[in-house]
Short mmCIF file of all heavy atoms in Angstrom, two decimals:
data_model
loop_
_atom_site.label_atom_id
_atom_site.label_comp_id
_atom_site.label_asym_id
_atom_site.label_seq_id
_atom_site.Cartn_x
_atom_site.Cartn_y
_atom_site.Cartn_z
N LEU E 167 251.85 -87.70 194.73
CA LEU E 167 251.28 -87.70 196.05
C LEU E 167 250.99 -89.04 196.57
O LEU E 167 250.49 -89.93 195.80
CB LEU E 167 250.03 -86.90 196.01
CG LEU E 167 250.00 -85.41 195.74
CD1 LEU E 167 248.68 -84.80 195.59
CD2 LEU E 167 250.81 -84.63 196.91
N LEU E 168 251.27 -89.31 197.71
CA LEU E 168 251.06 -90.59 198.43
C LEU E 168 250.30 -90.32 199.72
O LEU E 168 250.83 -89.66 200.60
CB LEU E 168 252.32 -91.37 198.72
CG LEU E 168 252.10 -92.60 199.73
CD1 LEU E 168 251.13 -93.63 199.10
CD2 LEU E 168 253.49 -93.28 199.98
N PHE E 169 249.07 -90.78 199.90
CA PHE E 169 248.32 -90.70 200.98
C PHE E 169 248.18 -92.08 201.67
O PHE E 169 247.88 -93.06 200.98
CB PHE E 169 246.88 -90.16 200.75
CG PHE E 169 246.79 -88.78 200.10
CD1 PHE E 169 246.59 -88.63 198.79
CD2 PHE E 169 247.05 -87.65 200.92
CE1 PHE E 169 246.57 -87.40 198.18
CE2 PHE E 169 246.96 -86.45 200.36
CZ PHE E 169 246.70 -86.30 198.95
N VAL E 170 248.49 -92.17 202.95
CA VAL E 170 248.39 -93.43 203.64
C VAL E 170 247.45 -93.23 204.89
O VAL E 170 247.70 -92.42 205.74
CB VAL E 170 249.76 -93.95 204.19
CG1 VAL E 170 249.59 -95.34 204.87
CG2 VAL E 170 250.63 -94.15 202.97
N ILE E 171 246.31 -94.02 204.88
CA ILE E 171 245.44 -94.00 206.00
C ILE E 171 245.69 -95.28 206.72
O ILE E 171 245.16 -96.28 206.39
CB ILE E 171 244.02 -93.84 205.56
CG1 ILE E 171 243.81 -92.49 204.79
CG2 ILE E 171 243.06 -93.84 206.77
CD1 ILE E 171 242.46 -92.29 204.27
N ASN E 172 246.54 -95.15 207.81
CA ASN E 172 246.99 -96.35 208.54
C ASN E 172 246.67 -96.24 209.99
O ASN E 172 247.38 -95.51 210.70
CB ASN E 172 248.49 -96.51 208.27
CG ASN E 172 249.05 -97.75 208.93
OD1 ASN E 172 248.41 -98.43 209.72
ND2 ASN E 172 250.29 -98.12 208.55
N SER E 173 245.63 -96.94 210.43
CA SER E 173 245.32 -96.85 211.81
C SER E 173 245.82 -98.06 212.60
O SER E 173 245.50 -98.31 213.80
CB SER E 173 243.79 -96.84 212.03
OG SER E 173 243.17 -98.00 211.41
N PHE E 174 246.74 -98.84 211.88
CA PHE E 174 247.16 -100.04 212.57
C PHE E 174 248.50 -99.93 213.24
O PHE E 174 248.89 -100.72 214.12
CB PHE E 174 247.38 -101.22 211.47
CG PHE E 174 246.11 -101.42 210.74
CD1 PHE E 174 245.82 -100.86 209.51
CD2 PHE E 174 245.06 -102.27 211.28
CE1 PHE E 174 244.66 -101.06 208.85
CE2 PHE E 174 243.90 -102.45 210.58
CZ PHE E 174 243.67 -101.87 209.33
N ASP E 175 249.28 -98.96 212.83
CA ASP E 175 250.67 -98.90 213.36
C ASP E 175 251.07 -97.41 213.70
O ASP E 175 251.15 -96.58 212.74
CB ASP E 175 251.61 -99.43 212.26
CG ASP E 175 252.98 -99.78 212.85
OD1 ASP E 175 253.45 -99.07 213.81
OD2 ASP E 175 253.65 -100.73 212.35
N SER E 176 251.37 -97.10 214.97
CA SER E 176 251.71 -95.78 215.33
C SER E 176 253.10 -95.38 214.92
O SER E 176 253.45 -94.25 215.01
CB SER E 176 251.54 -95.64 216.82
OG SER E 176 252.39 -96.61 217.53
N SER E 177 253.90 -96.30 214.53
CA SER E 177 255.33 -96.02 214.16
C SER E 177 255.47 -95.82 212.60
O SER E 177 256.43 -96.31 212.02
CB SER E 177 256.28 -97.15 214.66
OG SER E 177 255.83 -98.39 214.04
N PHE E 178 254.39 -95.30 211.96
CA PHE E 178 254.43 -95.21 210.53
C PHE E 178 255.67 -94.43 209.94
O PHE E 178 256.18 -94.85 208.91
CB PHE E 178 253.12 -94.54 210.02
CG PHE E 178 253.15 -94.13 208.53
CD1 PHE E 178 253.00 -95.03 207.63
CD2 PHE E 178 253.33 -92.79 208.22
CE1 PHE E 178 252.97 -94.76 206.30
CE2 PHE E 178 253.29 -92.49 206.86
CZ PHE E 178 253.12 -93.46 205.85
N ASP E 179 256.05 -93.47 210.70
CA ASP E 179 257.23 -92.64 210.31
C ASP E 179 258.43 -93.52 210.01
O ASP E 179 259.34 -93.25 209.12
CB ASP E 179 257.59 -91.60 211.27
CG ASP E 179 256.59 -90.46 211.27
OD1 ASP E 179 255.46 -90.63 210.75
OD2 ASP E 179 256.84 -89.40 211.91
N ASP E 180 258.58 -94.65 210.75
CA ASP E 180 259.81 -95.51 210.63
C ASP E 180 259.86 -96.23 209.38
O ASP E 180 260.87 -96.76 208.97
CB ASP E 180 259.85 -96.49 211.83
CG ASP E 180 260.01 -95.73 213.13
OD1 ASP E 180 260.56 -94.56 213.15
OD2 ASP E 180 259.59 -96.29 214.14
N TYR E 181 258.57 -96.35 208.66
CA TYR E 181 258.55 -97.09 207.40
C TYR E 181 258.92 -96.27 206.20
O TYR E 181 259.14 -96.80 205.09
CB TYR E 181 257.20 -97.61 207.27
CG TYR E 181 256.79 -98.75 208.25
CD1 TYR E 181 256.22 -98.41 209.52
CD2 TYR E 181 257.05 -100.10 207.98
CE1 TYR E 181 255.88 -99.36 210.39
CE2 TYR E 181 256.74 -101.07 208.94
CZ TYR E 181 256.13 -100.76 210.11
OH TYR E 181 255.83 -101.67 210.98
N VAL E 182 258.99 -94.93 206.38
CA VAL E 182 259.20 -94.07 205.25
C VAL E 182 260.63 -93.70 205.09
O VAL E 182 261.37 -93.35 206.03
CB VAL E 182 258.44 -92.71 205.45
CG1 VAL E 182 258.58 -91.78 204.34
CG2 VAL E 182 256.91 -93.10 205.66
N ASN E 183 261.11 -93.83 203.78
CA ASN E 183 262.43 -93.35 203.47
C ASN E 183 262.36 -91.81 203.31
O ASN E 183 261.84 -91.40 202.29
CB ASN E 183 262.87 -94.09 202.19
CG ASN E 183 264.37 -93.82 201.83
OD1 ASN E 183 264.79 -92.68 201.91
ND2 ASN E 183 265.07 -94.86 201.45
N LYS E 184 263.05 -91.11 204.16
CA LYS E 184 262.86 -89.62 204.19
C LYS E 184 263.95 -88.87 203.39
O LYS E 184 264.03 -87.68 203.57
CB LYS E 184 262.77 -89.11 205.61
CG LYS E 184 261.72 -89.85 206.46
CD LYS E 184 261.79 -89.29 207.84
CE LYS E 184 260.79 -90.05 208.74
NZ LYS E 184 261.21 -91.46 209.02
N GLU E 185 264.67 -89.64 202.62
CA GLU E 185 265.79 -88.89 201.84
C GLU E 185 265.20 -87.89 200.91
O GLU E 185 265.83 -86.80 200.68
CB GLU E 185 266.65 -89.93 201.13
CG GLU E 185 267.48 -90.70 202.03
CD GLU E 185 268.43 -91.66 201.24
OE1 GLU E 185 268.45 -91.51 199.97
OE2 GLU E 185 269.09 -92.49 201.88
N THR E 186 264.04 -88.20 200.25
CA THR E 186 263.50 -87.33 199.20
C THR E 186 262.08 -86.93 199.49
O THR E 186 261.55 -86.21 198.68
CB THR E 186 263.62 -87.87 197.80
OG1 THR E 186 262.91 -89.15 197.78
CG2 THR E 186 265.10 -88.20 197.45
N VAL E 187 261.46 -87.36 200.51
CA VAL E 187 260.05 -87.11 200.79
C VAL E 187 259.91 -86.53 202.18
O VAL E 187 260.71 -86.66 203.06
CB VAL E 187 259.18 -88.36 200.66
CG1 VAL E 187 259.26 -88.94 199.27
CG2 VAL E 187 259.51 -89.42 201.70
N SER E 188 258.75 -85.80 202.33
CA SER E 188 258.36 -85.29 203.61
C SER E 188 257.05 -85.86 204.07
O SER E 188 256.25 -86.10 203.22
CB SER E 188 258.32 -83.73 203.56
OG SER E 188 259.54 -83.16 203.20
N ILE E 189 256.88 -86.07 205.33
CA ILE E 189 255.64 -86.58 205.87
C ILE E 189 254.80 -85.38 206.41
O ILE E 189 255.33 -84.55 207.28
CB ILE E 189 255.87 -87.61 207.03
CG1 ILE E 189 256.76 -88.76 206.42
CG2 ILE E 189 254.60 -88.11 207.56
CD1 ILE E 189 257.19 -89.70 207.52
N VAL E 190 253.57 -85.35 206.08
CA VAL E 190 252.60 -84.29 206.56
C VAL E 190 251.38 -84.90 206.99
O VAL E 190 250.77 -85.70 206.23
CB VAL E 190 252.34 -83.23 205.39
CG1 VAL E 190 251.33 -82.28 205.97
CG2 VAL E 190 253.57 -82.56 204.95
N GLU E 191 250.97 -84.74 208.23
CA GLU E 191 249.74 -85.21 208.70
C GLU E 191 248.61 -84.43 208.16
O GLU E 191 248.58 -83.22 208.24
CB GLU E 191 249.68 -85.24 210.23
CG GLU E 191 248.47 -85.91 210.74
CD GLU E 191 248.44 -85.91 212.30
OE1 GLU E 191 249.42 -85.50 212.89
OE2 GLU E 191 247.42 -86.38 212.83
N ILE E 192 247.59 -85.16 207.51
CA ILE E 192 246.42 -84.42 207.00
C ILE E 192 245.46 -84.02 208.14
O ILE E 192 244.64 -84.95 208.51
CB ILE E 192 245.78 -85.21 205.89
CG1 ILE E 192 246.77 -85.57 204.86
CG2 ILE E 192 244.62 -84.44 205.22
CD1 ILE E 192 247.38 -84.46 204.20
N THR E 193 245.57 -82.87 208.63
CA THR E 193 244.55 -82.41 209.71
C THR E 193 243.44 -81.66 209.08
O THR E 193 243.38 -81.47 207.81
CB THR E 193 245.34 -81.59 210.70
OG1 THR E 193 245.94 -80.45 210.00
CG2 THR E 193 246.44 -82.38 211.43
N GLU E 194 242.58 -81.19 209.85
CA GLU E 194 241.40 -80.42 209.31
C GLU E 194 241.74 -79.22 208.55
O GLU E 194 240.97 -78.77 207.66
CB GLU E 194 240.45 -80.03 210.46
CG GLU E 194 239.80 -81.26 211.23
CD GLU E 194 238.79 -80.76 212.27
OE1 GLU E 194 238.61 -79.45 212.40
OE2 GLU E 194 238.20 -81.58 212.96
N GLU E 195 242.90 -78.60 208.78
CA GLU E 195 243.24 -77.39 208.01
C GLU E 195 243.63 -77.68 206.55
O GLU E 195 243.66 -76.79 205.71
CB GLU E 195 244.45 -76.67 208.67
CG GLU E 195 245.70 -77.56 208.71
CD GLU E 195 246.79 -76.82 209.51
OE1 GLU E 195 247.39 -75.87 209.04
OE2 GLU E 195 247.19 -77.33 210.60
N PHE E 196 243.85 -78.99 206.29
CA PHE E 196 244.27 -79.36 204.94
C PHE E 196 242.96 -79.82 204.20
O PHE E 196 242.88 -80.96 203.77
CB PHE E 196 245.30 -80.44 204.90
CG PHE E 196 246.66 -80.02 205.43
CD1 PHE E 196 247.04 -80.23 206.71
CD2 PHE E 196 247.56 -79.38 204.62
CE1 PHE E 196 248.29 -79.83 207.15
CE2 PHE E 196 248.82 -78.95 204.98
CZ PHE E 196 249.14 -79.18 206.30
N GLN E 197 242.03 -78.91 204.06
CA GLN E 197 240.68 -79.34 203.49
C GLN E 197 240.86 -79.77 202.03
O GLN E 197 240.11 -80.68 201.56
CB GLN E 197 239.74 -78.19 203.64
CG GLN E 197 238.29 -78.63 203.33
CD GLN E 197 237.78 -79.72 204.21
OE1 GLN E 197 238.04 -79.71 205.49
NE2 GLN E 197 237.21 -80.78 203.63
N ASN E 198 241.69 -79.05 201.30
CA ASN E 198 241.87 -79.46 199.87
C ASN E 198 242.45 -80.94 199.73
O ASN E 198 241.90 -81.65 198.83
CB ASN E 198 242.79 -78.47 199.13
CG ASN E 198 242.16 -77.14 198.92
OD1 ASN E 198 240.93 -77.02 198.91
ND2 ASN E 198 242.95 -76.07 198.73
N ALA E 199 243.34 -81.19 200.57
CA ALA E 199 243.89 -82.60 200.52
C ALA E 199 242.82 -83.66 200.96
O ALA E 199 242.70 -84.70 200.33
CB ALA E 199 245.14 -82.71 201.47
N ARG E 200 242.03 -83.25 201.96
CA ARG E 200 240.92 -84.17 202.43
C ARG E 200 239.93 -84.36 201.25
O ARG E 200 239.46 -85.47 201.02
CB ARG E 200 240.30 -83.63 203.70
CG ARG E 200 241.22 -83.58 204.84
CD ARG E 200 240.67 -82.71 205.96
NE ARG E 200 239.44 -83.11 206.51
CZ ARG E 200 239.34 -83.89 207.58
NH1 ARG E 200 240.49 -84.25 208.22
NH2 ARG E 200 238.21 -84.27 208.11
N ASN E 201 239.59 -83.33 200.55
CA ASN E 201 238.64 -83.38 199.46
C ASN E 201 239.26 -84.26 198.26
O ASN E 201 238.50 -85.01 197.64
CB ASN E 201 238.34 -82.03 198.91
CG ASN E 201 237.47 -81.24 199.86
OD1 ASN E 201 236.83 -81.77 200.81
ND2 ASN E 201 237.54 -79.90 199.75
N HIS E 202 240.52 -84.11 198.10
CA HIS E 202 241.25 -84.96 197.05
C HIS E 202 241.24 -86.41 197.37
O HIS E 202 240.88 -87.25 196.47
CB HIS E 202 242.67 -84.47 196.94
CG HIS E 202 243.35 -85.01 195.81
ND1 HIS E 202 242.93 -84.91 194.45
CD2 HIS E 202 244.47 -85.83 195.65
CE1 HIS E 202 243.72 -85.56 193.62
NE2 HIS E 202 244.73 -86.03 194.35
N ILE E 203 241.34 -86.70 198.62
CA ILE E 203 241.26 -88.12 199.05
C ILE E 203 239.83 -88.70 198.88
O ILE E 203 239.61 -89.84 198.35
CB ILE E 203 241.72 -88.23 200.49
CG1 ILE E 203 243.19 -87.97 200.70
CG2 ILE E 203 241.33 -89.64 201.02
CD1 ILE E 203 243.55 -87.86 202.16
N LEU E 204 238.80 -87.89 199.25
CA LEU E 204 237.47 -88.37 199.12
C LEU E 204 237.06 -88.43 197.65
O LEU E 204 236.24 -89.34 197.26
CB LEU E 204 236.58 -87.26 199.81
CG LEU E 204 236.64 -87.24 201.27
CD1 LEU E 204 235.82 -86.07 201.87
CD2 LEU E 204 236.10 -88.55 201.90
N SER E 205 237.68 -87.70 196.82
CA SER E 205 237.34 -87.79 195.41
C SER E 205 237.83 -89.07 194.77
O SER E 205 237.42 -89.54 193.69
CB SER E 205 237.92 -86.58 194.58
OG SER E 205 239.34 -86.71 194.52
N MET E 206 238.82 -89.73 195.44
CA MET E 206 239.39 -90.88 194.85
C MET E 206 238.66 -92.21 195.40
O MET E 206 238.85 -93.31 194.86
CB MET E 206 240.80 -91.10 195.29
CG MET E 206 241.79 -90.01 194.69
SD MET E 206 243.51 -90.25 195.23
CE MET E 206 243.93 -91.70 194.24
N LEU E 207 237.80 -92.04 196.32
CA LEU E 207 237.07 -93.21 196.94
C LEU E 207 235.76 -93.48 196.11
O LEU E 207 235.20 -92.61 195.58
CB LEU E 207 236.91 -92.97 198.37
CG LEU E 207 238.10 -92.79 199.28
CD1 LEU E 207 237.68 -92.37 200.68
CD2 LEU E 207 238.92 -94.00 199.26
#
Side-chain angles (χ1 to χ4, degrees):
L167 295 171
L168 167 61
F169 299 103
V170 179
I171 300 178
N172 182 348
S173 59
F174 304 98
D175 198 328
S176 59
S177 61
F178 170 74
D179 286 17
D180 297 335
Y181 292 89
V182 179
N183 187 316
K184 304 181 186 68
E185 289 186 9
T186 58
V187 301
S188 299
I189 301 173
V190 178
E191 183 178 0
I192 305 300
T193 57
E194 291 185 2
E195 64 184 291
F196 292 96
Q197 193 58 48
N198 288 339
R200 293 162 68 92
N201 291 339
H202 188 59
I203 292 171
L204 291 173
S205 73
M206 297 182 68
L207 298 175

